Amino acid sequence: MLTGKREIDRRKFLTGDILPERDLASARPQRFFHISSAVVTARPERCAEIARQIAALPDTEVRAVEGSKIVVVIEGQSSGEIGSRLTIMALMDGVFSANMVFEQIEPLDDTGDDR
C-alpha cells in the first residue's frame, strides 16, 4: 500500500503498528510485565512432589494445593514466556493438565524499573 511518499506494510497497517513519520524517531518499544494464574491438575498422590517441582521454576509461585489441584502464579516478560512455563508444567510426569485461568498485562514504567 502506498500513501504519499511512504509505503505501508499491510500487516503493520492491520495490527495498528504504524506511526506518523514525525513519531518514528521518538518511538521506543514499550515493555510489559505479565502476571498469570493457572490451575494444574495432577495425580493426588503426587501433588506435593509436583508442587515442589513447579515452585522450583523461575518466577513461579505455588499458592495452594488441595486434592488434585495446584494453584500457581506465574510472572514473566511476555505471554510466550508464561506459555513456555505452563507447557513445562503440563509435561511433568503425573500432571493431567495445566490451564491458564487469568493473565494481566501491565506496562512497565519508563524509569527502567523491571518490576
Side-chain angles (χ1 to χ4, degrees):
M1 176 186 296
L2 190 61
T3 61
K5 299 176 186 172
R6 185 169 85 144
E7 186 173 326
I8 296 175
D9 180 78
R10 182 175 180 268
R11 180 169 305 278
K12 287 184 178 183
F13 177 77
L14 292 174
T15 60
D17 192 25
I18 295 178
L19 296 173
E21 299 263 345
R22 65 184 176 277
D23 292 339
L24 287 175
S26 65
R28 290 188 358 213
Q30 190 170 10
R31 299 181 322 148
F32 296 95
F33 183 66
H34 299 250
I35 304 170
S36 300
S37 61
V39 174
V40 177
T41 306
R43 300 185 68 81
E45 66 273 8
R46 303 227 17 237
C47 255
E49 174 192 344
I50 292 168
R52 282 191 298 278
Q53 291 174 1
I54 291 171
L57 295 172
D59 297 321
T60 305
E61 181 180 341
V62 173
R63 297 296 296 178
V65 178
E66 186 174 319
S68 62
K69 308 276 189 219
I70 304 167
V71 178
V72 180
V73 175
I74 309 166
E75 299 175 349
Q77 299 298 316
S78 69
S79 292
E81 185 180 336
I82 300 286
S84 293
R85 220 158 313 127
L86 202 56
T87 300
I88 290 168
M89 291 179 220
L91 295 175
M92 288 179 175
D93 193 37
V95 171
F96 297 126
S97 66
N99 297 300
M100 186 181 299
V101 177
F102 176 80
E103 181 177 22
Q104 182 164 339
I105 303 170
E106 293 289 330
L108 291 174
D109 293 339
D110 289 337
T111 59
D113 294 337
D114 283 344
R115 295 187 187 179

